[in-house]
Amino acid sequence: MTWLWWSRPAYIIGDPRYDNYPDYPESRKADFFNEFGLKKDKPLILWLSTRVDWQSRPDANITLWLDEFLTLGTHFNLVLRPHPHRVRDNPGLMEKIKKSGLILDLKAEREMNQLFKSADYIISDFGSSIFSAVYLDCNLLLFNHPEQHRTTKFMELKIRKDIINLDPRTPGARDNRLVKIFRDPATWAKQKEIRKKWRNQLFGGIIPGQGAITAASVLKKIFSL
């Protein structure tokens, strides 16, 4: 048990949404690859962009990064899954992305377990997908937003001290920094240790599969008081 700033007890229970993640069928990864015609001999980078529609440029977390993301296509399978609200509110952008050749996952009801199980790398920016990736020990890189300090929650910024994160590159730049990062095993070995530290800090060392059991134990203690 810990105490939060408003002086109320809080219990860490992991994330019960992912309790079946350890036993999630590998065949569901094959289903994902087959659904989008992905190449089985290439790793998958899954870009989970969130909604930042409280910013002055609500789609900048996609538009500022799209061209650079596409440079990874020689070496990786690439899939972008935009937030369903942005799919709804900006269909024109979705059409532009489709014309670029980038694969879009627009299935709002898709199981998150399938997404994280299928990906070799996750790109996120803000929101819960950051912490899901840490909890599930997924290779994670974060795209920054020019206005992220305006309203972004504190922990989303704090975690950037350790997790790899990048600012949008200067227009016209031709460097291949993303390719270098994603193809460097030493980088990801180091990040694995960093994620372990953050997983212990955020989830108290609880691992996928233990969330519901931990929650039940906590409730039992509470009701026995």
Side-chain angles (χ1 to χ4, degrees), residues 100-111:
S100 75
L102 179 59
I103 294 172
L104 283 175
D105 176 22
L106 303 178
K107 188 176 180 180
E109 68 277 13
R110 188 179 302 282
E111 292 180 290

Side-chain angles (χ1 to χ4, degrees), residues 37-73:
L38 303 178
K39 296 180 179 179
K40 294 179 173 58
D41 60 342
K42 285 186 176 183
L44 169 60
I45 300 178
L46 178 63
W47 180 7
L48 300 173
S49 65
T50 191
R51 51 178 290 230
V52 289
D53 44 11
W54 53 86
Q55 308 282 7
S56 63
R57 293 184 290 171
D59 292 304
N61 62 327
I62 295 177
T63 57
L64 290 174
W65 289 100
L66 183 58
D67 289 343
E68 186 173 7
F69 183 65
L70 289 169
T71 65
L72 293 164

Side-chain angles (χ1 to χ4, degrees), residues 146-163:
E147 301 174 38
Q148 66 189 32
H149 292 276
R150 287 179 57 187
T151 55
T152 302
K153 296 179 178 63
F154 170 73
M155 195 58 71
E156 294 170 318
L157 296 179
K158 186 176 180 180
I159 200 170
R160 281 170 155 78
K161 294 179 180 178
D162 294 323
I163 298 295

Side-chain angles (χ1 to χ4, degrees), residues 41-184:
D41 60 342
K42 285 186 176 183
L44 169 60
I45 300 178
L46 178 63
W47 180 7
L48 300 173
S49 65
T50 191
R51 51 178 290 230
V52 289
D53 44 11
W54 53 86
Q55 308 282 7
S56 63
R57 293 184 290 171
D59 292 304
N61 62 327
I62 295 177
T63 57
L64 290 174
W65 289 100
L66 183 58
D67 289 343
E68 186 173 7
F69 183 65
L70 289 169
T71 65
L72 293 164
T74 302
H75 306 284
F76 300 92
N77 289 302
L78 305 178
V79 175
L80 166 60
R81 180 178 171 83
H83 193 282
H85 288 188
R86 301 314 305 160
V87 175
R88 177 197 65 199
D89 294 341
N90 196 345
L93 176 59
M94 300 306 121
E95 287 303 315
K96 178 182 177 181
I97 294 171
K98 288 179 183 178
K99 290 179 180 178
S100 75
L102 179 59
I103 294 172
L104 283 175
D105 176 22
L106 303 178
K107 188 176 180 180
E109 68 277 13
R110 188 179 302 282
E111 292 180 290
M112 297 304 292
N113 277 321
Q114 185 183 28
L115 291 171
F116 286 107
K117 202 76 168 184
S118 299
D120 297 281
Y121 303 91
I122 297 291
I123 292 178
S124 183
D125 40 42
F126 310 101
S128 63
S129 60
I130 296 175
F131 306 105
S132 292
V134 169
Y135 185 58
L136 300 176
D137 194 25
C138 299
N139 292 317
L140 175 66
L141 181 143
L142 302 177
F143 282 165
N144 294 333
H145 188 286
E147 301 174 38
Q148 66 189 32
H149 292 276
R150 287 179 57 187
T151 55
T152 302
K153 296 179 178 63
F154 170 73
M155 195 58 71
E156 294 170 318
L157 296 179
K158 186 176 180 180
I159 200 170
R160 281 170 155 78
K161 294 179 180 178
D162 294 323
I163 298 295
I164 299 173
N165 62 98
L166 298 173
D167 293 327
R169 66 181 182 181
T170 305
R174 298 297 180 184
D175 62 86
N176 58 347
R177 59 178 180 167
L178 283 181
V179 174
K180 291 177 181 178
I181 291 171
F182 280 109
R183 300 192 74 193
D184 180 18

